[in-house]
């Protein structure tokens, strides 16, 4: 089985570097990526995706990247089952980046 995503795009926002209670560093970035097909108006729509980065990937992004940098991220999709206050079940999906290529 394979659980893999690849996103190439521009960094739009980098959150603050945070730490879990046990000291593991993480942050979230938002990456803007153009779709590979045009809409009815002949224009390319843009998707904005939030990606979670951990440990050395988070530290490297914080130290060396800024908004507008072009990157490629490979990672996995993490599914977390949750319940609402009224006991309805749903699944929250998180994009977790594991390999980053710095394109610009």
């Amino acid at each position: 089985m394979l659980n893999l995503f690849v996103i190439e795009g521009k960094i739009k926002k980098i959150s603050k570097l945070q730490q879990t209670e046990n000291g593991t560093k993480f942050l979230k970035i938002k990456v803007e990526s153009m779709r590979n097909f045009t809409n009815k108006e002949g224009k390319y729509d843009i998707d904005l995706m939030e990606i979670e980065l951990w440990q050395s990937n988070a530290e490297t992004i914080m130290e060396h990247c800024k908004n507008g940098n072009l990157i490629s991220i490979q990672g996995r999709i993490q599914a977390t089952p949750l319940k609402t206050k009224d006991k309805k079940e749903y699944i929250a999906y998180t994009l977790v980046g594991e390999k980053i290529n710095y394109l610009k």
Side-chain angles (χ1 to χ4, degrees):
M1 289 186 251
L2 184 64
N3 177 350
L4 175 72
F5 75 83
V6 177
I7 296 172
E8 183 178 296
K10 290 182 183 178
I11 297 174
K12 293 305 283 182
K13 184 177 181 182
I14 303 171
S15 72
K16 287 184 177 182
L17 189 63
Q18 301 176 57
Q19 286 188 4
T20 63
E21 289 181 9
N22 66 2
T24 304
K25 295 178 182 177
F26 72 97
L27 59 73
K28 294 180 181 181
I29 63 172
K30 290 187 179 176
V31 176
E32 182 180 78
S33 183
M34 189 180 348
R35 293 183 185 177
N36 61 353
F37 56 90
T38 58
N39 60 24
K40 291 179 184 178
E41 291 81 38
K43 296 183 181 180
Y44 291 95
D45 288 327
I46 304 285
D47 291 310
L48 186 63
M49 280 132 326
E50 185 173 73
I51 302 166
E52 205 171 76
L53 300 171
W54 291 85
Q55 300 183 45
S56 62
N57 282 330
E59 293 178 80
T60 302
I61 286 284
M62 183 57 70
E63 292 172 13
H64 300 289
C65 292
K66 61 183 180 188
N67 291 346
N69 286 154
L70 187 61
I71 62 172
S72 174
I73 300 179
Q74 178 179 319
R76 62 185 165 82
I77 302 168
Q78 180 174 299
T80 306
L82 299 170
K83 289 184 182 179
T84 62
K85 290 180 182 179
D86 59 348
K87 308 284 188 212
K88 291 184 181 177
E89 295 180 0
Y90 69 98
I91 299 174
Y93 295 97
T94 304
L95 300 175
V96 180
E98 296 175 333
K99 182 179 178 184
I100 303 171
N101 290 310
Y102 303 92
L103 306 175
K104 186 175 178 184

